[in-house]
Amino acid sequence: MIILRAFAFIFFNVLAGYIFVFLLKAFLFIPKKEIYLFRRKLPFTPAFIYRKKKWLLRKLNLFLDQYLADTKDFSDRSRITKWESKIYENILEKMISNDKLSWLPNKISQKIYSLFATLGYEIVKQFFRNFVPYLIEHYNLESIIDLIDQKLDIEVIISYFNQYIYKYLMIFTLGFCFMVGLGNMLIFLIVK
């Protein structure tokens, strides 16, 4: 009877490891749709991956819309304006700290530093406000996001998860839990 109790440690540890890995898979992929109980949506439905697909696509569309709105906004609140200002300040700070023009009068060297910082500012301004929106329009990024929505198939993600992650995670977890259960069993037998 003591041997059966001892083997119960291994069984329950391995069972706990199996349940843990299965619950991880269930959290990520089960259920596919929202489940309602007494007209109330159950939490964590649909599964994490299904919710995050919708969230990711919303975020991509929102980011694209905000970026295009920022390209037209020249106020100090715009993110692009802040980036342009940081570039100007960083270039000016680097040039002043290196001070390669120390042999020139201070007023002239400051104007040269300011000229290079303004040049960097204008390059960044043209890049972020004209070139990037041109690329977004030219490559029709909005339709690419819609295409991602259509082509991003969760079933493919599930098959890759099962093939490359779930199988090896299950083997590792069951092996680890078996070793812990074996250790618990030996301790139990020694103490008994």
Side-chain angles (χ1 to χ4, degrees):
M1 192 61 151
I2 290 177
I3 298 295
L4 286 177
R5 279 194 211 164
F7 280 114
F9 283 106
I10 294 175
F11 174 75
F12 285 116
N13 277 296
V14 170
L15 181 66
Y18 177 81
I19 289 172
F20 172 75
V21 175
F22 178 77
L23 287 177
L24 175 67
K25 181 180 178 180
F27 173 74
L28 292 174
F29 301 109
I30 301 170
K32 295 179 181 182
K33 297 182 180 180
E34 294 178 345
I35 296 176
Y36 290 92
L37 186 64
F38 303 116
R39 296 184 188 160
R40 290 185 168 245
K41 183 175 123 20
L42 290 178
F44 306 116
T45 61
F48 183 77
I49 296 295
Y50 292 96
R51 283 183 307 205
K52 290 304 171 183
K53 176 186 174 189
K54 294 175 187 175
W55 174 84
L56 174 67
L57 294 170
R58 275 196 314 260
K59 284 292 185 183
L60 285 173
N61 281 319
L62 180 66
F63 178 75
L64 184 63
D65 293 342
Q66 286 177 344
Y67 182 81
L68 291 174
D70 279 346
T71 59
K72 296 174 181 77
D73 186 9
F74 290 94
S75 69
D76 291 339
R77 295 176 294 127
S78 168
R79 283 181 290 175
I80 295 177
T81 304
K82 291 176 185 175
W83 293 341
E84 293 164 349
S85 300
K86 283 182 183 178
I87 292 294
Y88 179 84
E89 293 166 5
N90 286 342
I91 291 173
L92 192 60
E93 181 182 311
K94 296 271 188 210
M95 294 200 68
I96 289 173
S97 67
N98 287 339
D99 200 19
K100 300 283 185 191
L101 303 176
S102 59
W103 50 274
L104 284 175
N106 193 25
K107 193 172 189 180
I108 294 174
S109 64
Q110 291 297 325
K111 287 194 182 243
I112 292 173
Y113 296 151
S114 179
L115 175 71
F116 280 112
T118 304
L119 181 66
Y121 170 83
E122 287 299 324
I123 290 171
V124 167
K125 182 177 179 182
Q126 293 301 318
F127 180 78
F128 283 130
R129 292 190 188 268
N130 294 330
F131 185 66
V132 173
Y134 166 76
L135 289 177
I136 289 171
E137 182 181 327
H138 180 72
Y139 290 109
N140 204 0
L141 201 57
E142 291 173 348
S143 68
I144 292 174
I145 293 173
D146 293 338
L147 185 64
I148 289 171
D149 184 22
Q150 295 169 359
K151 296 292 183 180
L152 185 63
D153 188 16
I154 301 296
E155 297 304 319
V156 173
I157 295 173
I158 291 171
S159 70
Y160 281 122
F161 176 81
N162 287 335
Q163 185 177 3
Y164 296 112
I165 297 173
Y166 183 70
K167 179 171 110 178
Y168 298 110
L169 184 63
M170 185 65 80
I171 291 169
F172 174 77
T173 304
L174 292 179
F176 178 75
C177 289
F178 176 79
M179 297 304 286
V180 169
L182 188 63
N184 288 340
M185 181 183 81
L186 292 175
I187 292 172
F188 176 75
L189 289 175
I190 291 170
V191 170
K192 268 300 190 184

mmCIF file with all atom_site columns, all heavy atoms in Angstrom, residues 69-83 129:
data_model
loop_
_atom_site.group_PDB
_atom_site.id
_atom_site.type_symbol
_atom_site.label_atom_id
_atom_site.label_alt_id
_atom_site.label_comp_id
_atom_site.label_asym_id
_atom_site.label_entity_id
_atom_site.label_seq_id
_atom_site.pdbx_PDB_ins_code
_atom_site.Cartn_x
_atom_site.Cartn_y
_atom_site.Cartn_z
_atom_site.occupancy
_atom_site.B_iso_or_equiv
_atom_site.pdbx_formal_charge
_atom_site.auth_seq_id
_atom_site.auth_comp_id
_atom_site.auth_asym_id
_atom_site.auth_atom_id
_atom_site.pdbx_PDB_model_num
ATOM 1   N N   . ALA A 1 69  ? -2.645 61.806 -39.664 1.00 0.00 ? 69  ALA A N   1
ATOM 2   C CA  . ALA A 1 69  ? -3.148 63.054 -39.082 1.00 0.00 ? 69  ALA A CA  1
ATOM 3   C C   . ALA A 1 69  ? -1.990 63.898 -38.543 1.00 0.00 ? 69  ALA A C   1
ATOM 4   O O   . ALA A 1 69  ? -2.001 65.131 -38.670 1.00 0.00 ? 69  ALA A O   1
ATOM 5   C CB  . ALA A 1 69  ? -4.153 62.755 -37.982 1.00 0.00 ? 69  ALA A CB  1
ATOM 6   N N   . ASP A 1 70  ? -0.979 63.243 -37.953 1.00 0.00 ? 70  ASP A N   1
ATOM 7   C CA  . ASP A 1 70  ? 0.176  63.974 -37.429 1.00 0.00 ? 70  ASP A CA  1
ATOM 8   C C   . ASP A 1 70  ? 0.998  64.621 -38.535 1.00 0.00 ? 70  ASP A C   1
ATOM 9   O O   . ASP A 1 70  ? 1.650  65.647 -38.306 1.00 0.00 ? 70  ASP A O   1
ATOM 10  C CB  . ASP A 1 70  ? 1.075  63.051 -36.608 1.00 0.00 ? 70  ASP A CB  1
ATOM 11  C CG  . ASP A 1 70  ? 0.561  62.843 -35.195 1.00 0.00 ? 70  ASP A CG  1
ATOM 12  O OD1 . ASP A 1 70  ? -0.321 63.604 -34.766 1.00 0.00 ? 70  ASP A OD1 1
ATOM 13  O OD2 . ASP A 1 70  ? 1.056  61.918 -34.520 1.00 0.00 ? 70  ASP A OD2 1
ATOM 14  N N   . THR A 1 71  ? 1.001  64.040 -39.715 1.00 0.00 ? 71  THR A N   1
ATOM 15  C CA  . THR A 1 71  ? 1.778  64.640 -40.806 1.00 0.00 ? 71  THR A CA  1
ATOM 16  C C   . THR A 1 71  ? 1.203  65.982 -41.231 1.00 0.00 ? 71  THR A C   1
ATOM 17  O O   . THR A 1 71  ? 1.930  66.837 -41.727 1.00 0.00 ? 71  THR A O   1
ATOM 18  C CB  . THR A 1 71  ? 1.838  63.715 -42.042 1.00 0.00 ? 71  THR A CB  1
ATOM 19  O OG1 . THR A 1 71  ? 0.535  63.456 -42.508 1.00 0.00 ? 71  THR A OG1 1
ATOM 20  C CG2 . THR A 1 71  ? 2.560  62.439 -41.717 1.00 0.00 ? 71  THR A CG2 1
ATOM 21  N N   . LYS A 1 72  ? -0.081 66.177 -41.016 1.00 0.00 ? 72  LYS A N   1
ATOM 22  C CA  . LYS A 1 72  ? -0.724 67.438 -41.383 1.00 0.00 ? 72  LYS A CA  1
ATOM 23  C C   . LYS A 1 72  ? -0.763 68.428 -40.231 1.00 0.00 ? 72  LYS A C   1
ATOM 24  O O   . LYS A 1 72  ? -1.089 69.589 -40.432 1.00 0.00 ? 72  LYS A O   1
ATOM 25  C CB  . LYS A 1 72  ? -2.139 67.144 -41.879 1.00 0.00 ? 72  LYS A CB  1
ATOM 26  C CG  . LYS A 1 72  ? -2.167 66.317 -43.139 1.00 0.00 ? 72  LYS A CG  1
ATOM 27  C CD  . LYS A 1 72  ? -3.581 65.936 -43.503 1.00 0.00 ? 72  LYS A CD  1
ATOM 28  C CE  . LYS A 1 72  ? -3.636 65.085 -44.742 1.00 0.00 ? 72  LYS A CE  1
ATOM 29  N NZ  . LYS A 1 72  ? -3.268 63.709 -44.543 1.00 0.00 ? 72  LYS A NZ  1
ATOM 30  N N   . ASP A 1 73  ? -0.430 67.979 -39.030 1.00 0.00 ? 73  ASP A N   1
ATOM 31  C CA  . ASP A 1 73  ? -0.488 68.812 -37.830 1.00 0.00 ? 73  ASP A CA  1
ATOM 32  C C   . ASP A 1 73  ? 0.888  69.404 -37.553 1.00 0.00 ? 73  ASP A C   1
ATOM 33  O O   . ASP A 1 73  ? 1.834  68.691 -37.242 1.00 0.00 ? 73  ASP A O   1
ATOM 34  C CB  . ASP A 1 73  ? -0.951 67.967 -36.646 1.00 0.00 ? 73  ASP A CB  1
ATOM 35  C CG  . ASP A 1 73  ? -1.167 68.779 -35.390 1.00 0.00 ? 73  ASP A CG  1
ATOM 36  O OD1 . ASP A 1 73  ? -1.118 70.022 -35.459 1.00 0.00 ? 73  ASP A OD1 1
ATOM 37  O OD2 . ASP A 1 73  ? -1.385 68.164 -34.336 1.00 0.00 ? 73  ASP A OD2 1
ATOM 38  N N   . PHE A 1 74  ? 1.003  70.736 -37.659 1.00 0.00 ? 74  PHE A N   1
ATOM 39  C CA  . PHE A 1 74  ? 2.287  71.408 -37.435 1.00 0.00 ? 74  PHE A CA  1
ATOM 40  C C   . PHE A 1 74  ? 2.374  72.035 -36.045 1.00 0.00 ? 74  PHE A C   1
ATOM 41  O O   . PHE A 1 74  ? 3.321  72.751 -35.753 1.00 0.00 ? 74  PHE A O   1
ATOM 42  C CB  . PHE A 1 74  ? 2.517  72.480 -38.505 1.00 0.00 ? 74  PHE A CB  1
ATOM 43  C CG  . PHE A 1 74  ? 2.781  71.894 -39.856 1.00 0.00 ? 74  PHE A CG  1
ATOM 44  C CD1 . PHE A 1 74  ? 1.755  71.715 -40.768 1.00 0.00 ? 74  PHE A CD1 1
ATOM 45  C CD2 . PHE A 1 74  ? 4.058  71.499 -40.204 1.00 0.00 ? 74  PHE A CD2 1
ATOM 46  C CE1 . PHE A 1 74  ? 1.998  71.165 -42.015 1.00 0.00 ? 74  PHE A CE1 1
ATOM 47  C CE2 . PHE A 1 74  ? 4.316  70.939 -41.454 1.00 0.00 ? 74  PHE A CE2 1
ATOM 48  C CZ  . PHE A 1 74  ? 3.283  70.773 -42.359 1.00 0.00 ? 74  PHE A CZ  1
ATOM 49  N N   . SER A 1 75  ? 1.416  71.741 -35.182 1.00 0.00 ? 75  SER A N   1
ATOM 50  C CA  . SER A 1 75  ? 1.448  72.305 -33.829 1.00 0.00 ? 75  SER A CA  1
ATOM 51  C C   . SER A 1 75  ? 2.489  71.576 -32.979 1.00 0.00 ? 75  SER A C   1
ATOM 52  O O   . SER A 1 75  ? 3.029  70.547 -33.370 1.00 0.00 ? 75  SER A O   1
ATOM 53  C CB  . SER A 1 75  ? 0.064  72.188 -33.177 1.00 0.00 ? 75  SER A CB  1
ATOM 54  O OG  . SER A 1 75  ? -0.232 70.838 -32.910 1.00 0.00 ? 75  SER A OG  1
ATOM 55  N N   . ASP A 1 76  ? 2.744  72.108 -31.801 1.00 0.00 ? 76  ASP A N   1
ATOM 56  C CA  . ASP A 1 76  ? 3.744  71.516 -30.904 1.00 0.00 ? 76  ASP A CA  1
ATOM 57  C C   . ASP A 1 76  ? 3.259  70.210 -30.280 1.00 0.00 ? 76  ASP A C   1
ATOM 58  O O   . ASP A 1 76  ? 4.047  69.474 -29.706 1.00 0.00 ? 76  ASP A O   1
ATOM 59  C CB  . ASP A 1 76  ? 4.107  72.503 -29.791 1.00 0.00 ? 76  ASP A CB  1
ATOM 60  C CG  . ASP A 1 76  ? 4.882  73.693 -30.335 1.00 0.00 ? 76  ASP A CG  1
ATOM 61  O OD1 . ASP A 1 76  ? 5.460  73.565 -31.430 1.00 0.00 ? 76  ASP A OD1 1
ATOM 62  O OD2 . ASP A 1 76  ? 4.900  74.746 -29.671 1.00 0.00 ? 76  ASP A OD2 1
ATOM 63  N N   . ARG A 1 77  ? 1.967  69.899 -30.373 1.00 0.00 ? 77  ARG A N   1
ATOM 64  C CA  . ARG A 1 77  ? 1.421  68.676 -29.798 1.00 0.00 ? 77  ARG A CA  1
ATOM 65  C C   . ARG A 1 77  ? 1.673  67.458 -30.669 1.00 0.00 ? 77  ARG A C   1
ATOM 66  O O   . ARG A 1 77  ? 1.592  66.335 -30.207 1.00 0.00 ? 77  ARG A O   1
ATOM 67  C CB  . ARG A 1 77  ? -0.088 68.825 -29.574 1.00 0.00 ? 77  ARG A CB  1
ATOM 68  C CG  . ARG A 1 77  ? -0.457 69.867 -28.556 1.00 0.00 ? 77  ARG A CG  1
ATOM 69  C CD  . ARG A 1 77  ? -1.953 70.041 -28.435 1.00 0.00 ? 77  ARG A CD  1
ATOM 70  N NE  . ARG A 1 77  ? -2.475 70.593 -29.686 1.00 0.00 ? 77  ARG A NE  1
ATOM 71  C CZ  . ARG A 1 77  ? -3.479 70.052 -30.380 1.00 0.00 ? 77  ARG A CZ  1
ATOM 72  N NH1 . ARG A 1 77  ? -4.075 68.971 -29.953 1.00 0.00 ? 77  ARG A NH1 1
ATOM 73  N NH2 . ARG A 1 77  ? -3.892 70.591 -31.497 1.00 0.00 ? 77  ARG A NH2 1
ATOM 74  N N   . SER A 1 78  ? 1.958  67.661 -31.912 1.00 0.00 ? 78  SER A N   1
ATOM 75  C CA  . SER A 1 78  ? 2.143  66.559 -32.856 1.00 0.00 ? 78  SER A CA  1
ATOM 76  C C   . SER A 1 78  ? 3.394  65.750 -32.514 1.00 0.00 ? 78  SER A C   1
ATOM 77  O O   . SER A 1 78  ? 4.434  66.295 -32.150 1.00 0.00 ? 78  SER A O   1
ATOM 78  C CB  . SER A 1 78  ? 2.261  67.132 -34.270 1.00 0.00 ? 78  SER A CB  1
ATOM 79  O OG  . SER A 1 78  ? 2.706  66.156 -35.169 1.00 0.00 ? 78  SER A OG  1
ATOM 80  N N   . ARG A 1 79  ? 3.293  64.425 -32.645 1.00 0.00 ? 79  ARG A N   1
ATOM 81  C CA  . ARG A 1 79  ? 4.458  63.571 -32.393 1.00 0.00 ? 79  ARG A CA  1
ATOM 82  C C   . ARG A 1 79  ? 5.577  63.850 -33.385 1.00 0.00 ? 79  ARG A C   1
ATOM 83  O O   . ARG A 1 79  ? 6.743  63.818 -33.028 1.00 0.00 ? 79  ARG A O   1
ATOM 84  C CB  . ARG A 1 79  ? 4.057  62.097 -32.465 1.00 0.00 ? 79  ARG A CB  1
ATOM 85  C CG  . ARG A 1 79  ? 3.324  61.607 -31.253 1.00 0.00 ? 79  ARG A CG  1
ATOM 86  C CD  . ARG A 1 79  ? 2.993  60.161 -31.390 1.00 0.00 ? 79  ARG A CD  1
ATOM 87  N NE  . ARG A 1 79  ? 1.957  60.036 -32.414 1.00 0.00 ? 79  ARG A NE  1
ATOM 88  C CZ  . ARG A 1 79  ? 1.488  58.909 -32.866 1.00 0.00 ? 79  ARG A CZ  1
ATOM 89  N NH1 . ARG A 1 79  ? 1.947  57.778 -32.426 1.00 0.00 ? 79  ARG A NH1 1
ATOM 90  N NH2 . ARG A 1 79  ? 0.535  58.879 -33.786 1.00 0.00 ? 79  ARG A NH2 1
ATOM 91  N N   . ILE A 1 80  ? 5.218  64.096 -34.623 1.00 0.00 ? 80  ILE A N   1
ATOM 92  C CA  . ILE A 1 80  ? 6.238  64.356 -35.634 1.00 0.00 ? 80  ILE A CA  1
ATOM 93  C C   . ILE A 1 80  ? 6.974  65.645 -35.316 1.00 0.00 ? 80  ILE A C   1
ATOM 94  O O   . ILE A 1 80  ? 8.201  65.717 -35.459 1.00 0.00 ? 80  ILE A O   1
ATOM 95  C CB  . ILE A 1 80  ? 5.606  64.384 -37.040 1.00 0.00 ? 80  ILE A CB  1
ATOM 96  C CG1 . ILE A 1 80  ? 5.050  62.996 -37.369 1.00 0.00 ? 80  ILE A CG1 1
ATOM 97  C CG2 . ILE A 1 80  ? 6.610  64.820 -38.082 1.00 0.00 ? 80  ILE A CG2 1
ATOM 98  C CD1 . ILE A 1 80  ? 4.339  62.906 -38.680 1.00 0.00 ? 80  ILE A CD1 1
ATOM 99  N N   . THR A 1 81  ? 6.264  66.659 -34.855 1.00 0.00 ? 81  THR A N   1
ATOM 100 C CA  . THR A 1 81  ? 6.911  67.910 -34.465 1.00 0.00 ? 81  THR A CA  1
ATOM 101 C C   . THR A 1 81  ? 7.879  67.670 -33.314 1.00 0.00 ? 81  THR A C   1
ATOM 102 O O   . THR A 1 81  ? 8.987  68.226 -33.294 1.00 0.00 ? 81  THR A O   1
ATOM 103 C CB  . THR A 1 81  ? 5.855  68.960 -34.064 1.00 0.00 ? 81  THR A CB  1
ATOM 104 O OG1 . THR A 1 81  ? 4.932  69.130 -35.139 1.00 0.00 ? 81  THR A OG1 1
ATOM 105 C CG2 . THR A 1 81  ? 6.499  70.284 -33.726 1.00 0.00 ? 81  THR A CG2 1
ATOM 106 N N   . LYS A 1 82  ? 7.494  66.819 -32.382 1.00 0.00 ? 82  LYS A N   1
ATOM 107 C CA  . LYS A 1 82  ? 8.391  66.498 -31.268 1.00 0.00 ? 82  LYS A CA  1
ATOM 108 C C   . LYS A 1 82  ? 9.631  65.767 -31.761 1.00 0.00 ? 82  LYS A C   1
ATOM 109 O O   . LYS A 1 82  ? 10.741 66.024 -31.298 1.00 0.00 ? 82  LYS A O   1
ATOM 110 C CB  . LYS A 1 82  ? 7.652  65.654 -30.222 1.00 0.00 ? 82  LYS A CB  1
ATOM 111 C CG  . LYS A 1 82  ? 6.574  66.425 -29.495 1.00 0.00 ? 82  LYS A CG  1
ATOM 112 C CD  . LYS A 1 82  ? 5.807  65.532 -28.544 1.00 0.00 ? 82  LYS A CD  1
ATOM 113 C CE  . LYS A 1 82  ? 4.651  66.300 -27.920 1.00 0.00 ? 82  LYS A CE  1
ATOM 114 N NZ  . LYS A 1 82  ? 3.817  65.441 -27.078 1.00 0.00 ? 82  LYS A NZ  1
ATOM 115 N N   . TRP A 1 83  ? 9.467  64.823 -32.704 1.00 0.00 ? 83  TRP A N   1
ATOM 116 C CA  . TRP A 1 83  ? 10.622 64.112 -33.267 1.00 0.00 ? 83  TRP A CA  1
ATOM 117 C C   . TRP A 1 83  ? 11.553 65.083 -33.983 1.00 0.00 ? 83  TRP A C   1
ATOM 118 O O   . TRP A 1 83  ? 12.774 65.001 -33.842 1.00 0.00 ? 83  TRP A O   1
ATOM 119 C CB  . TRP A 1 83  ? 10.174 63.035 -34.242 1.00 0.00 ? 83  TRP A CB  1
ATOM 120 C CG  . TRP A 1 83  ? 9.434  61.893 -33.652 1.00 0.00 ? 83  TRP A CG  1
ATOM 121 C CD1 . TRP A 1 83  ? 9.417  61.505 -32.338 1.00 0.00 ? 83  TRP A CD1 1
ATOM 122 C CD2 . TRP A 1 83  ? 8.584  60.986 -34.341 1.00 0.00 ? 83  TRP A CD2 1
ATOM 123 N NE1 . TRP A 1 83  ? 8.598  60.410 -32.178 1.00 0.00 ? 83  TRP A NE1 1
ATOM 124 C CE2 . TRP A 1 83  ? 8.082  60.072 -33.392 1.00 0.00 ? 83  TRP A CE2 1
ATOM 125 C CE3 . TRP A 1 83  ? 8.191  60.863 -35.664 1.00 0.00 ? 83  TRP A CE3 1
ATOM 126 C CZ2 . TRP A 1 83  ? 7.220  59.041 -33.733 1.00 0.00 ? 83  TRP A CZ2 1
ATOM 127 C CZ3 . TRP A 1 83  ? 7.332  59.832 -36.005 1.00 0.00 ? 83  TRP A CZ3 1
ATOM 128 C CH2 . TRP A 1 83  ? 6.856  58.942 -35.043 1.00 0.00 ? 83  TRP A CH2 1
ATOM 129 N N   . ARG A 1 129 ? 7.065  63.829 -43.092 1.00 0.00 ? 129 ARG A N   1
ATOM 130 C CA  . ARG A 1 129 ? 5.823  64.486 -43.503 1.00 0.00 ? 129 ARG A CA  1
ATOM 131 C C   . ARG A 1 129 ? 5.494  64.284 -44.983 1.00 0.00 ? 129 ARG A C   1
ATOM 132 O O   . ARG A 1 129 ? 4.337  64.420 -45.366 1.00 0.00 ? 129 ARG A O   1
ATOM 133 C CB  . ARG A 1 129 ? 5.884  65.982 -43.201 1.00 0.00 ? 129 ARG A CB  1
ATOM 134 C CG  . ARG A 1 129 ? 5.896  66.251 -41.713 1.00 0.00 ? 129 ARG A CG  1
ATOM 135 C CD  . ARG A 1 129 ? 5.707  67.711 -41.414 1.00 0.00 ? 129 ARG A CD  1
ATOM 136 N NE  . ARG A 1 129 ? 5.893  67.986 -40.011 1.00 0.00 ? 129 ARG A NE  1
ATOM 137 C CZ  . ARG A 1 129 ? 4.910  67.992 -39.120 1.00 0.00 ? 129 ARG A CZ  1
ATOM 138 N NH1 . ARG A 1 129 ? 3.689  67.713 -39.487 1.00 0.00 ? 129 ARG A NH1 1
ATOM 139 N NH2 . ARG A 1 129 ? 5.166  68.269 -37.862 1.00 0.00 ? 129 ARG A NH2 1
#
